[in-house]
Amino acid sequence: MNQYLDIKPEVAEALAAGKPVVALESTIISHGMPWPQNAETAFAVEDMIRAHGAVPATVAVIGGRLKAGLEKDEIEYLAKKGQAVTKASRRDLPVLCARGEDGATTVAATMIVAALAGIGVFATGGIGGVHRGAETTMDISADLEELARTPVLVVCAGAKSILDLGLTLEYLETKGVPVCGYQTDELPAFYTRVSGFGVDFRADSPAELAAAFAAQRALGYPGGMLCTNPIPEQYSMDPAVINAAIDQAVAESVQQGIKGKKVTPFLLARVKELTGGDSLASNIQLVLNNAALAADTAGELAKL
Ligand code: PSU
Ligand code: MN
């Protein structure tokens, strides 16, 4: 096992027994939601995964250790510390390990730790992607590169239109990352079920999704797969309301010269302020929905 990795005993036992395990990220806890909803959601997501027959492994860096599976007090610690925790993507892990520091892992960093631990399925809310204006800023999330190189199935609700969704799909196509729509032919846009962009393939059941990912593994591809799962109808938001908030947040980020790793947390926080509690409630529901699908798919994968 890697010298920096700690696998929670419950997770290690499940992996050794070939039982389904689902990884979860922690940037969503520290940077994606406010206290105390962030801790409540993290616990509810773990409960949802258990209710669907899998073992949850929330990932983070604590004191320089890469944790595959957190204890409740560790989740609470990250949730309370919030934005003061380092947002950790691929490039940040080595320094945090060397210095013995804490980090909340993004999709990219969570995939790295999941793969080191032997976990194949990961549930989250939204992934990073190609930002609007990337043709001049070159702001492209390391999440996309990680999907190209690390063999983990990531279940999300699509990407927020804080990103350029068309360019994000082009990038994934170039990198050979299969993009699945779960029970849909269209890429969902996180708060809404539609985006106007098509996905590569559609899966209508966890078994179908698991079979596609198993085939990708059998082909020996280095990279992962992205499953986009639309937000349940009753929690989806009015596209006009959410898109107005997103447009305003993007304009403010440009005016204020926000750059680098601060861009995404700035946009997420601003969209949340502009839309009040509505977007937070939707965000929580879609993460729960993704957790259930990821757990069911991990269960199907374990049978193959
Ligand atoms: N998009 C969301 N919610 C999130 C994130 C992105 O809708 O919480 C977080 C995830 O952890 C994602 C990270 O991996 O932001 C991407 O950051 P960046 O764009 O800086 O790579
Ligand atoms: Mn970026």
Short mmCIF file of all heavy atoms in Angstrom, two decimals, residues 127-178:
data_model
loop_
_atom_site.label_atom_id
_atom_site.label_comp_id
_atom_site.label_asym_id
_atom_site.label_seq_id
_atom_site.Cartn_x
_atom_site.Cartn_y
_atom_site.Cartn_z
N ILE A 127 -18.79 18.33 -11.53
CA ILE A 127 -17.34 18.29 -11.79
C ILE A 127 -16.86 19.65 -12.30
O ILE A 127 -17.65 20.48 -12.75
CB ILE A 127 -16.97 17.21 -12.84
CG1 ILE A 127 -17.68 17.49 -14.18
CG2 ILE A 127 -17.29 15.82 -12.33
CD1 ILE A 127 -16.97 16.89 -15.36
N GLY A 128 -15.55 19.85 -12.22
CA GLY A 128 -14.94 21.02 -12.85
C GLY A 128 -14.84 20.76 -14.35
O GLY A 128 -14.97 19.63 -14.81
N GLY A 129 -14.59 21.83 -15.13
CA GLY A 129 -14.51 21.65 -16.57
C GLY A 129 -13.82 22.83 -17.23
O GLY A 129 -13.01 23.51 -16.61
N VAL A 130 -14.17 23.05 -18.49
CA VAL A 130 -13.60 24.17 -19.24
C VAL A 130 -14.42 25.41 -18.91
O VAL A 130 -15.64 25.43 -19.14
CB VAL A 130 -13.65 23.90 -20.76
CG1 VAL A 130 -13.05 25.08 -21.52
CG2 VAL A 130 -12.93 22.60 -21.10
N HIS A 131 -13.77 26.43 -18.37
CA HIS A 131 -14.51 27.65 -18.00
C HIS A 131 -14.86 28.50 -19.21
O HIS A 131 -14.19 28.43 -20.25
CB HIS A 131 -13.69 28.47 -16.99
CG HIS A 131 -13.80 27.94 -15.60
ND1 HIS A 131 -14.67 28.45 -14.67
CD2 HIS A 131 -13.21 26.88 -15.01
CE1 HIS A 131 -14.58 27.74 -13.56
NE2 HIS A 131 -13.69 26.78 -13.73
N ARG A 132 -15.88 29.26 -19.07
CA ARG A 132 -16.22 30.23 -20.11
C ARG A 132 -15.03 31.18 -20.26
O ARG A 132 -14.45 31.61 -19.26
CB ARG A 132 -17.44 31.06 -19.69
CG ARG A 132 -18.70 30.25 -19.49
CD ARG A 132 -19.85 31.24 -19.37
NE ARG A 132 -21.03 30.64 -18.78
CZ ARG A 132 -22.12 31.34 -18.46
NH1 ARG A 132 -22.16 32.65 -18.64
NH2 ARG A 132 -23.16 30.74 -17.95
N GLY A 133 -14.65 31.47 -21.46
CA GLY A 133 -13.51 32.36 -21.69
C GLY A 133 -12.18 31.63 -21.64
O GLY A 133 -11.12 32.25 -21.68
N ALA A 134 -12.21 30.29 -21.55
CA ALA A 134 -10.96 29.52 -21.43
C ALA A 134 -10.05 29.69 -22.64
O ALA A 134 -8.84 29.46 -22.54
CB ALA A 134 -11.27 28.03 -21.22
N GLU A 135 -10.63 30.13 -23.77
CA GLU A 135 -9.78 30.32 -24.95
C GLU A 135 -8.74 31.42 -24.70
O GLU A 135 -7.71 31.45 -25.36
CB GLU A 135 -10.62 30.58 -26.20
CG GLU A 135 -11.58 31.74 -26.17
CD GLU A 135 -12.94 31.40 -25.53
OE1 GLU A 135 -13.02 30.47 -24.71
OE2 GLU A 135 -13.91 32.11 -25.84
N THR A 136 -9.00 32.30 -23.71
CA THR A 136 -7.94 33.26 -23.35
C THR A 136 -7.36 33.00 -21.96
O THR A 136 -6.17 33.18 -21.74
CB THR A 136 -8.45 34.72 -23.42
OG1 THR A 136 -9.70 34.80 -22.72
CG2 THR A 136 -8.65 35.18 -24.84
N THR A 137 -8.19 32.55 -21.00
CA THR A 137 -7.67 32.34 -19.64
C THR A 137 -6.96 31.00 -19.47
O THR A 137 -6.18 30.83 -18.55
CB THR A 137 -8.81 32.36 -18.59
OG1 THR A 137 -9.70 31.27 -18.87
CG2 THR A 137 -9.58 33.68 -18.63
N MET A 138 -7.27 30.03 -20.33
CA MET A 138 -6.78 28.65 -20.20
C MET A 138 -7.23 28.00 -18.89
O MET A 138 -6.58 27.08 -18.39
CB MET A 138 -5.26 28.57 -20.36
CG MET A 138 -4.85 28.82 -21.80
SD MET A 138 -3.11 28.63 -22.12
CE MET A 138 -2.91 26.88 -22.00
N ASP A 139 -8.34 28.46 -18.35
CA ASP A 139 -8.85 27.88 -17.10
C ASP A 139 -9.65 26.61 -17.41
O ASP A 139 -10.82 26.66 -17.77
CB ASP A 139 -9.71 28.90 -16.34
CG ASP A 139 -10.08 28.41 -14.95
OD1 ASP A 139 -9.76 27.25 -14.62
OD2 ASP A 139 -10.67 29.19 -14.18
N ILE A 140 -8.96 25.49 -17.28
CA ILE A 140 -9.56 24.18 -17.51
C ILE A 140 -9.27 23.34 -16.28
O ILE A 140 -8.12 23.19 -15.87
CB ILE A 140 -8.95 23.50 -18.77
CG1 ILE A 140 -9.21 24.37 -20.01
CG2 ILE A 140 -9.51 22.09 -18.95
CD1 ILE A 140 -8.49 23.90 -21.26
N SER A 141 -10.32 22.80 -15.65
CA SER A 141 -10.14 22.06 -14.41
C SER A 141 -9.28 20.81 -14.60
O SER A 141 -9.42 20.09 -15.60
CB SER A 141 -11.51 21.64 -13.87
OG SER A 141 -11.34 20.81 -12.74
N ALA A 142 -8.45 20.56 -13.60
CA ALA A 142 -7.66 19.32 -13.58
C ALA A 142 -8.56 18.08 -13.49
O ALA A 142 -8.10 16.97 -13.75
CB ALA A 142 -6.67 19.34 -12.41
N ASP A 143 -9.85 18.28 -13.16
CA ASP A 143 -10.78 17.14 -13.11
C ASP A 143 -10.84 16.43 -14.47
O ASP A 143 -10.96 15.20 -14.53
CB ASP A 143 -12.20 17.60 -12.77
CG ASP A 143 -12.35 18.09 -11.34
OD1 ASP A 143 -11.39 17.97 -10.56
OD2 ASP A 143 -13.43 18.60 -11.02
N LEU A 144 -10.79 17.21 -15.55
CA LEU A 144 -10.93 16.61 -16.89
C LEU A 144 -9.72 15.76 -17.23
O LEU A 144 -9.84 14.66 -17.78
CB LEU A 144 -11.14 17.71 -17.94
CG LEU A 144 -12.37 18.59 -17.76
CD1 LEU A 144 -12.53 19.54 -18.94
CD2 LEU A 144 -13.63 17.75 -17.56
N GLU A 145 -8.54 16.27 -16.91
CA GLU A 145 -7.31 15.53 -17.17
C GLU A 145 -7.29 14.24 -16.34
O GLU A 145 -6.81 13.20 -16.79
CB GLU A 145 -6.13 16.43 -16.80
CG GLU A 145 -4.88 16.19 -17.56
CD GLU A 145 -5.05 16.32 -19.07
OE1 GLU A 145 -5.71 17.26 -19.55
OE2 GLU A 145 -4.52 15.44 -19.75
N GLU A 146 -7.82 14.33 -15.13
CA GLU A 146 -7.84 13.14 -14.26
C GLU A 146 -8.77 12.08 -14.83
O GLU A 146 -8.46 10.88 -14.79
CB GLU A 146 -8.30 13.55 -12.85
CG GLU A 146 -7.76 12.67 -11.76
CD GLU A 146 -6.23 12.65 -11.75
OE1 GLU A 146 -5.61 13.72 -11.75
OE2 GLU A 146 -5.67 11.54 -11.74
N LEU A 147 -9.90 12.52 -15.36
CA LEU A 147 -10.82 11.57 -16.00
C LEU A 147 -10.13 10.87 -17.16
O LEU A 147 -10.44 9.73 -17.49
CB LEU A 147 -12.08 12.28 -16.48
CG LEU A 147 -13.11 12.57 -15.38
CD1 LEU A 147 -14.08 13.66 -15.81
CD2 LEU A 147 -13.87 11.30 -15.00
N ALA A 148 -9.19 11.56 -17.79
CA ALA A 148 -8.47 10.97 -18.92
C ALA A 148 -7.43 9.95 -18.49
O ALA A 148 -7.01 9.12 -19.29
CB ALA A 148 -7.79 12.07 -19.73
N ARG A 149 -7.02 9.99 -17.22
CA ARG A 149 -5.88 9.15 -16.83
C ARG A 149 -6.11 8.19 -15.68
O ARG A 149 -5.27 7.32 -15.43
CB ARG A 149 -4.67 10.04 -16.52
CG ARG A 149 -4.85 10.87 -15.27
CD ARG A 149 -3.90 12.03 -15.21
NE ARG A 149 -2.53 11.60 -15.04
CZ ARG A 149 -1.48 12.44 -15.03
NH1 ARG A 149 -1.66 13.73 -15.24
NH2 ARG A 149 -0.28 11.99 -14.83
N THR A 150 -7.21 8.34 -14.94
CA THR A 150 -7.40 7.52 -13.73
C THR A 150 -8.70 6.72 -13.84
O THR A 150 -9.76 7.30 -14.08
CB THR A 150 -7.40 8.45 -12.49
OG1 THR A 150 -6.14 9.13 -12.48
CG2 THR A 150 -7.54 7.68 -11.20
N PRO A 151 -8.61 5.39 -13.67
CA PRO A 151 -9.76 4.52 -13.97
C PRO A 151 -10.83 4.46 -12.88
O PRO A 151 -10.97 3.45 -12.18
CB PRO A 151 -9.09 3.14 -14.16
CG PRO A 151 -7.88 3.20 -13.29
CD PRO A 151 -7.40 4.62 -13.30
N VAL A 152 -11.57 5.54 -12.75
CA VAL A 152 -12.65 5.61 -11.78
C VAL A 152 -13.92 6.07 -12.49
O VAL A 152 -13.86 6.96 -13.35
CB VAL A 152 -12.28 6.58 -10.62
CG1 VAL A 152 -13.46 6.80 -9.68
CG2 VAL A 152 -11.07 6.06 -9.84
N LEU A 153 -15.04 5.46 -12.15
CA LEU A 153 -16.34 5.89 -12.67
C LEU A 153 -16.88 7.00 -11.77
O LEU A 153 -17.09 6.78 -10.58
CB LEU A 153 -17.32 4.71 -12.68
CG LEU A 153 -18.78 5.04 -13.00
CD1 LEU A 153 -18.95 5.55 -14.43
CD2 LEU A 153 -19.66 3.82 -12.77
N VAL A 154 -17.06 8.19 -12.33
CA VAL A 154 -17.53 9.34 -11.55
C VAL A 154 -19.00 9.61 -11.89
O VAL A 154 -19.34 9.86 -13.04
CB VAL A 154 -16.68 10.60 -11.86
CG1 VAL A 154 -17.19 11.80 -11.07
CG2 VAL A 154 -15.20 10.35 -11.55
N VAL A 155 -19.84 9.54 -10.86
CA VAL A 155 -21.28 9.81 -11.04
C VAL A 155 -21.55 11.23 -10.55
O VAL A 155 -21.31 11.55 -9.38
CB VAL A 155 -22.15 8.80 -10.27
CG1 VAL A 155 -23.63 9.12 -10.45
CG2 VAL A 155 -21.85 7.37 -10.71
N CYS A 156 -22.04 12.10 -11.45
CA CYS A 156 -22.30 13.50 -11.10
C CYS A 156 -23.63 13.91 -11.71
O CYS A 156 -24.30 13.11 -12.36
CB CYS A 156 -21.17 14.38 -11.61
SG CYS A 156 -21.14 14.53 -13.41
N ALA A 157 -24.00 15.17 -11.49
CA ALA A 157 -25.27 15.68 -12.06
C ALA A 157 -24.98 16.56 -13.27
O ALA A 157 -25.71 17.52 -13.53
CB ALA A 157 -26.05 16.43 -10.99
N GLY A 158 -23.89 16.25 -13.97
CA GLY A 158 -23.48 17.07 -15.10
C GLY A 158 -22.58 18.19 -14.59
O GLY A 158 -21.95 18.05 -13.54
N ALA A 159 -22.52 19.27 -15.32
CA ALA A 159 -21.68 20.40 -14.90
C ALA A 159 -22.54 21.65 -14.90
O ALA A 159 -23.48 21.78 -15.68
CB ALA A 159 -20.50 20.55 -15.85
N LYS A 160 -22.19 22.57 -13.99
CA LYS A 160 -22.94 23.83 -13.93
C LYS A 160 -22.57 24.70 -15.11
O LYS A 160 -21.43 24.67 -15.57
CB LYS A 160 -22.55 24.59 -12.66
CG LYS A 160 -23.03 23.95 -11.41
CD LYS A 160 -22.96 24.95 -10.26
CE LYS A 160 -23.47 24.31 -9.00
NZ LYS A 160 -22.41 23.78 -8.15
N SER A 161 -23.52 25.52 -15.53
CA SER A 161 -23.18 26.39 -16.66
C SER A 161 -22.35 27.59 -16.23
O SER A 161 -22.22 28.56 -16.99
CB SER A 161 -24.41 26.75 -17.48
OG SER A 161 -25.46 27.12 -16.64
N ILE A 162 -21.72 27.53 -15.04
CA ILE A 162 -20.58 28.45 -14.78
C ILE A 162 -19.47 28.07 -15.77
O ILE A 162 -18.56 28.84 -16.01
CB ILE A 162 -20.04 28.35 -13.32
CG1 ILE A 162 -19.56 26.92 -12.98
CG2 ILE A 162 -21.07 28.83 -12.32
CD1 ILE A 162 -18.79 26.82 -11.66
N LEU A 163 -19.57 26.84 -16.31
CA LEU A 163 -18.59 26.35 -17.29
C LEU A 163 -19.12 26.51 -18.70
O LEU A 163 -20.32 26.73 -18.90
CB LEU A 163 -18.32 24.86 -17.03
CG LEU A 163 -17.83 24.51 -15.64
CD1 LEU A 163 -17.79 23.00 -15.47
CD2 LEU A 163 -16.46 25.11 -15.38
N ASP A 164 -18.24 26.36 -19.68
CA ASP A 164 -18.65 26.26 -21.07
C ASP A 164 -18.91 24.77 -21.31
O ASP A 164 -17.97 23.98 -21.46
CB ASP A 164 -17.54 26.80 -21.98
CG ASP A 164 -17.98 26.87 -23.43
OD1 ASP A 164 -18.65 25.92 -23.88
OD2 ASP A 164 -17.63 27.86 -24.09
N LEU A 165 -20.18 24.38 -21.30
CA LEU A 165 -20.51 22.95 -21.37
C LEU A 165 -20.12 22.33 -22.70
O LEU A 165 -19.67 21.18 -22.75
CB LEU A 165 -22.01 22.74 -21.10
CG LEU A 165 -22.50 23.23 -19.73
CD1 LEU A 165 -23.98 22.90 -19.55
CD2 LEU A 165 -21.69 22.62 -18.60
N GLY A 166 -20.26 23.10 -23.77
CA GLY A 166 -19.88 22.58 -25.09
C GLY A 166 -18.38 22.29 -25.15
O GLY A 166 -17.96 21.21 -25.61
N LEU A 167 -17.57 23.23 -24.67
CA LEU A 167 -16.11 23.01 -24.69
C LEU A 167 -15.70 21.90 -23.73
O LEU A 167 -14.76 21.14 -24.00
CB LEU A 167 -15.36 24.30 -24.35
CG LEU A 167 -15.43 25.43 -25.40
CD1 LEU A 167 -14.52 26.59 -24.99
CD2 LEU A 167 -15.05 24.92 -26.78
N THR A 168 -16.42 21.78 -22.62
CA THR A 168 -16.12 20.70 -21.67
C THR A 168 -16.33 19.34 -22.34
O THR A 168 -15.49 18.44 -22.21
CB THR A 168 -17.00 20.85 -20.41
OG1 THR A 168 -16.71 22.12 -19.80
CG2 THR A 168 -16.77 19.73 -19.42
N LEU A 169 -17.42 19.21 -23.10
CA LEU A 169 -17.66 17.94 -23.81
C LEU A 169 -16.62 17.70 -24.90
O LEU A 169 -16.19 16.57 -25.12
CB LEU A 169 -19.07 17.94 -24.41
CG LEU A 169 -20.21 17.78 -23.41
CD1 LEU A 169 -21.55 17.95 -24.11
CD2 LEU A 169 -20.15 16.42 -22.71
N GLU A 170 -16.21 18.77 -25.60
CA GLU A 170 -15.18 18.62 -26.64
C GLU A 170 -13.88 18.11 -26.02
O GLU A 170 -13.21 17.24 -26.57
CB GLU A 170 -14.89 19.98 -27.33
CG GLU A 170 -16.02 20.51 -28.19
CD GLU A 170 -16.26 19.69 -29.47
OE1 GLU A 170 -15.47 18.78 -29.78
OE2 GLU A 170 -17.26 19.98 -30.15
N TYR A 171 -13.54 18.66 -24.87
CA TYR A 171 -12.30 18.27 -24.18
C TYR A 171 -12.36 16.80 -23.79
O TYR A 171 -11.41 16.03 -24.01
CB TYR A 171 -12.11 19.15 -22.94
CG TYR A 171 -10.72 19.16 -22.38
CD1 TYR A 171 -9.82 20.16 -22.74
CD2 TYR A 171 -10.28 18.19 -21.49
CE1 TYR A 171 -8.53 20.19 -22.21
CE2 TYR A 171 -9.00 18.21 -20.97
CZ TYR A 171 -8.13 19.22 -21.34
OH TYR A 171 -6.86 19.24 -20.83
N LEU A 172 -13.50 16.38 -23.23
CA LEU A 172 -13.65 14.98 -22.81
C LEU A 172 -13.60 14.05 -24.03
O LEU A 172 -13.04 12.95 -23.95
CB LEU A 172 -14.96 14.80 -22.04
CG LEU A 172 -14.95 15.44 -20.65
CD1 LEU A 172 -16.37 15.48 -20.07
CD2 LEU A 172 -14.02 14.67 -19.69
N GLU A 173 -14.15 14.51 -25.12
CA GLU A 173 -14.12 13.69 -26.34
C GLU A 173 -12.66 13.51 -26.81
O GLU A 173 -12.22 12.40 -27.13
CB GLU A 173 -14.95 14.33 -27.45
CG GLU A 173 -14.96 13.48 -28.72
CD GLU A 173 -15.73 14.10 -29.88
OE1 GLU A 173 -16.24 15.22 -29.76
OE2 GLU A 173 -15.79 13.45 -30.93
N THR A 174 -11.92 14.63 -26.83
CA THR A 174 -10.51 14.57 -27.25
C THR A 174 -9.72 13.60 -26.39
O THR A 174 -8.88 12.85 -26.89
CB THR A 174 -9.88 15.98 -27.16
OG1 THR A 174 -10.60 16.85 -28.02
CG2 THR A 174 -8.40 15.97 -27.53
N LYS A 175 -10.02 13.63 -25.08
CA LYS A 175 -9.28 12.79 -24.13
C LYS A 175 -9.82 11.36 -24.07
O LYS A 175 -9.31 10.55 -23.30
CB LYS A 175 -9.33 13.43 -22.74
CG LYS A 175 -8.63 14.76 -22.66
CD LYS A 175 -7.14 14.57 -22.76
CE LYS A 175 -6.41 15.89 -22.76
NZ LYS A 175 -4.94 15.68 -22.71
N GLY A 176 -10.86 11.07 -24.83
CA GLY A 176 -11.38 9.70 -24.87
C GLY A 176 -12.13 9.27 -23.64
O GLY A 176 -12.12 8.09 -23.28
N VAL A 177 -12.78 10.23 -22.97
CA VAL A 177 -13.55 9.89 -21.77
C VAL A 177 -15.02 9.67 -22.16
O VAL A 177 -15.68 10.59 -22.64
CB VAL A 177 -13.48 11.02 -20.72
CG1 VAL A 177 -14.33 10.69 -19.50
CG2 VAL A 177 -12.03 11.28 -20.32
N PRO A 178 -15.55 8.44 -21.99
CA PRO A 178 -16.96 8.21 -22.32
C PRO A 178 -17.87 8.98 -21.35
O PRO A 178 -17.66 8.95 -20.14
CB PRO A 178 -17.13 6.70 -22.12
CG PRO A 178 -15.74 6.13 -22.09
CD PRO A 178 -14.87 7.21 -21.53
#
